[in-house]
Amino acid sequence: MSLAELVLERGIKSGESDEGDKETYKRLHWKGSFSSYLELVESNPLIVRTAFQRIYDMVISYGHEIIEDVRNEKIVKYRFFQDPIENGKDAVFGLDEDLTNLVDVFKAAAQGYGVEKRVFLLHGPVGSSKSTVARLLKKGLEAYSKADEGVFYTFGWKNENENSEVISCPMHEEPLNLIPLEFRKGIEEKLNSNIGKNAYRISIDGRLCPPCRQEFREREEKYDGNWRLVLNDVVVKRLILSEQDRIGIGTFQPKDEKNQDSTELTGDINYRKIATYGSDSDPRAFNFDGELNISNRGMVEIVEMLKLEVAFLYDFLGASQEHVIKPKKFQQVYIDEVILGHTNEPEYRKLQSNEFMEALRDRTIKIDIPYVTKLSDEIKIYEKDYNKEKVRGKHIAPHALEIASMWAVLTRLDPPKNAQLSLLQKLKLYDGKVLPGFTPENVKELKEESKDEGMKGISPRYIQDKISNALVNPKVDAECVNPFMILNELEDGLKHHSLITNEQQRKQCRDLLGIVKEEYEDIVKDEVRNAISADEEAIGRLCGNYIDNVKSYTQKEKVKNKFTGQNEDPDEKLMRSIEEKIGIESSR
């Protein structure tokens, strides 16, 4: 069967395969009258949730579990951040406590406790998964809008010239915004009388955007002020969020200031239509397609938010506090959307020290997204990218990813104040290992004395780059990539690491590599000791290794380590340990 035949057989084209596809298409593209929409709202008030309520409900819809950390404290782990939508493609590991803080902020915003008037700012070092969290939320909203529990609607206007065409609202507004202000209170009371005690209270706060306001006025004039007849010209339709189609989800990122202006956020004049409508202040001659416009009812991600010029940041003051934006030559326009920015530490310090940005600081809620400080979670990050399915033709030796992860985590930890505790032991305690003389209370004290841990150190991206180098290095002909190869790549890369600014930092990283190598040697010795006791071939190889070392020792030569490729002194510890086993005293 050819690929074309397979595609046709599977019915990839929407609505052409079977009845199930047709029903799904109809369900996702439902259209109806305004009165039909009111019946839907009366039966399911969740339809009119705000953007903040919808994003919170989306996260908790995937469920959660209560886990205990190394301090014996209970933490909520939301399954949504394991990326069930794409089977873990964008899963976030080891940040359960920080992500719980983010979800708590969403919950407070959903309840209307004032947090919905803020910009949410993910703050952390480079490569700490800030962008991944934002991508997950956008992906989740898209999927949730297609599910029955996430259903919501927008509207358009019947075209008087062509009955089949609908003039869609450019900002995907809530249909209840069509109800005049003086009639809203009674309708709100009616809707709220049918909802449960713990359900969201319905409040119709929105205002029509300029194009819809003009359509409403023209039709109101046509029907002699009877707004109920105006609503007969309204077509309500289901709203499916899509970042690709710029519907309810937007992304804005800084560019060269000469090639970017604030109209990218709030829309711009359509000069081709000015000749038709006669004025650049006519709503029909304006494109309401800025990122804040098209993100209405959903979410907008502001990439590297604090790298933006100050002129751009002014738009977020009204967008967050008053939920309005100001397009050029138009009144303030109401928006309902989650504004999620992310930034690195240097830019955030710059914001704190800038007295002219006091208004933005006051409207910002910072959520820290640090590096992972738990070894087992750091290993999961690399196992996702370097597994048998992705790495073909080469084998990654046991402990290779573990050793690389160990070094990465060590660079992020603060030296313990307890002189009896080494940095490596601290790493093991954080990973849940049991060490003599230390309890969960001691771990809690360690966490409290180093509250900024994870906000510095080596990024996972650097580790990924060096593992990749080890896998494709043409100088290494081995089919197996062992920990020494990766450690060599990590050490070589320190010479040119862009985020290591002085020799002292470089020396600290090299010293930690030495600690990791010693730990790996101890791990290997334990495993070899256990393996040799039951493997005759291994005993033969060990004897051969012993003879090579004795020969080099007596002839005062170096021994070449076939794993690291380096010439080393004969291993006296190895020779002595074997001689002790066979009863040869040190004096002989």
Side-chain angles (χ1 to χ4, degrees), residues 414 416 421-430 450 453:
D414 293 332
L421 186 69
S422 69
L423 195 63
L424 185 62
Q425 288 174 316
K426 184 178 183 180
L427 176 144
K428 292 179 180 179
L429 286 172
Y430 278 13
S450 305
E453 270 182 337

Side-chain angles (χ1 to χ4, degrees), residues 557-573:
E557 296 176 348
K558 297 278 188 179
V559 179
K560 185 172 183 180
N561 189 319
K562 66 178 181 179
F563 296 109
T564 64
Q566 297 177 350
N567 291 322
E568 301 173 349
D569 291 326
D571 191 344
E572 291 192 49
K573 287 184 179 180

Side-chain angles (χ1 to χ4, degrees), residues 335-355:
I335 58 171
D336 169 33
E337 62 194 67
V338 177
I339 302 175
L340 185 78
H342 44 89
T343 187
N344 297 326
E345 180 67 22
E347 285 80 19
Y348 187 74
R349 286 201 302 268
K350 184 178 176 183
L351 171 69
Q352 287 182 306
S353 61
N354 188 347
E355 61 183 15

Side-chain angles (χ1 to χ4, degrees), residues 186-240:
I187 293 173
E188 286 176 2
E189 291 175 353
K190 169 68 175 172
L191 292 173
N192 286 321
S193 65
N194 296 329
I195 65 176
K197 182 180 179 181
N198 297 321
Y200 299 121
R201 302 289 294 176
I202 295 174
S203 178
I204 309 172
D205 298 320
R207 306 288 188 272
L208 292 177
C209 64
C212 291
R213 186 176 177 83
Q214 176 152 329
E215 291 285 351
F216 192 98
R217 284 202 311 267
E218 289 178 352
R219 284 168 167 76
E220 194 175 34
E221 185 177 342
K222 173 184 174 183
Y223 297 122
D224 296 325
N226 190 334
W227 64 274
R228 293 172 183 81
L229 293 178
V230 173
L231 297 181
N232 289 335
D233 285 352
V234 171
V235 177
V236 178
K237 57 184 180 179
R238 184 166 178 177
L239 182 60
I240 303 296

Side-chain angles (χ1 to χ4, degrees), residues 290-317:
E291 293 302 318
L292 292 177
N293 299 97
I294 63 98
S295 301
N296 190 37
R297 312 288 304 285
M299 168 187 157
V300 61
E301 175 194 5
I302 312 298
V303 179
E304 295 292 350
M305 181 174 180
L306 298 184
K307 282 188 171 72
L308 291 168
E309 293 296 316
V310 175
F312 291 93
L313 297 176
Y314 292 147
D315 285 309
F316 298 113
L317 301 181

Side-chain angles (χ1 to χ4, degrees), residues 153-373:
Y153 300 85
T154 183
F155 67 90
W157 301 90
K158 293 178 182 177
N159 194 321
E160 295 179 351
N161 300 324
E162 299 179 31
N163 293 328
S164 61
E165 186 181 347
V166 175
I167 305 171
S168 298
C169 171
M171 293 181 59
H172 329 297
E173 290 181 294
E174 163 62 49
L176 292 183
N177 291 351
L178 289 160
I179 300 173
L181 297 177
E182 57 269 27
F183 300 107
R184 290 185 178 183
K185 186 175 180 180
I187 293 173
E188 286 176 2
E189 291 175 353
K190 169 68 175 172
L191 292 173
N192 286 321
S193 65
N194 296 329
I195 65 176
K197 182 180 179 181
N198 297 321
Y200 299 121
R201 302 289 294 176
I202 295 174
S203 178
I204 309 172
D205 298 320
R207 306 288 188 272
L208 292 177
C209 64
C212 291
R213 186 176 177 83
Q214 176 152 329
E215 291 285 351
F216 192 98
R217 284 202 311 267
E218 289 178 352
R219 284 168 167 76
E220 194 175 34
E221 185 177 342
K222 173 184 174 183
Y223 297 122
D224 296 325
N226 190 334
W227 64 274
R228 293 172 183 81
L229 293 178
V230 173
L231 297 181
N232 289 335
D233 285 352
V234 171
V235 177
V236 178
K237 57 184 180 179
R238 184 166 178 177
L239 182 60
I240 303 296
L241 301 186
S242 170
E243 183 178 15
Q244 294 296 315
D245 297 327
R246 301 186 78 227
I247 299 175
I249 297 177
T251 304
F252 185 78
Q253 60 187 35
K255 298 185 182 73
D256 188 301
E257 60 182 18
K258 295 179 181 179
N259 300 320
Q260 190 171 34
D261 57 56
S262 58
T263 59
E264 289 189 42
L265 286 172
T266 56
D268 199 6
I269 297 168
N270 188 331
Y271 292 96
R272 293 181 62 186
K273 292 187 177 181
I274 293 177
T276 304
Y277 298 110
S279 171
D280 59 1
S281 60
D282 190 302
R284 293 166 296 185
F286 193 91
N287 293 331
F288 290 88
D289 60 355
E291 293 302 318
L292 292 177
N293 299 97
I294 63 98
S295 301
N296 190 37
R297 312 288 304 285
M299 168 187 157
V300 61
E301 175 194 5
I302 312 298
V303 179
E304 295 292 350
M305 181 174 180
L306 298 184
K307 282 188 171 72
L308 291 168
E309 293 296 316
V310 175
F312 291 93
L313 297 176
Y314 292 147
D315 285 309
F316 298 113
L317 301 181
S320 57
Q321 185 69 30
E322 285 81 30
H323 285 196
V324 294
I325 55 176
K326 179 67 175 68
K328 188 188 298 184
K329 294 196 174 183
F330 288 96
Q331 73 273 22
Q332 289 183 323
V333 178
Y334 177 85
I335 58 171
D336 169 33
E337 62 194 67
V338 177
I339 302 175
L340 185 78
H342 44 89
T343 187
N344 297 326
E345 180 67 22
E347 285 80 19
Y348 187 74
R349 286 201 302 268
K350 184 178 176 183
L351 171 69
Q352 287 182 306
S353 61
N354 188 347
E355 61 183 15
F356 298 106
M357 295 307 296
E358 188 174 310
L360 182 64
R361 290 203 309 270
D362 194 46
R363 289 169 167 84
T364 300
I365 291 181
K366 176 173 73 77
I367 299 103
D368 286 333
I369 305 292
Y371 288 137
V372 172
T373 56

Side-chain angles (χ1 to χ4, degrees), residues 447-499:
K447 290 276 188 182
E448 288 177 353
E449 73 182 26
S450 305
K451 292 186 176 179
D452 292 333
E453 270 182 337
M455 301 304 286
K456 64 182 188 313
I458 294 294
S459 161
R461 290 180 187 146
Y462 178 77
I463 306 296
Q464 290 168 331
D465 292 344
K466 299 311 166 188
I467 294 173
S468 300
N469 287 355
L471 285 168
V472 300
N473 192 340
K475 297 179 182 178
V476 180
D477 195 26
E479 294 182 0
C480 178
V481 175
N482 63 54
F484 291 112
M485 296 175 185
I486 295 176
L487 288 173
N488 288 339
E489 289 288 347
L490 292 172
E491 188 169 5
D492 290 343
L494 292 175
K495 302 172 187 174
H496 312 291
H497 196 297
S498 59
L499 298 180

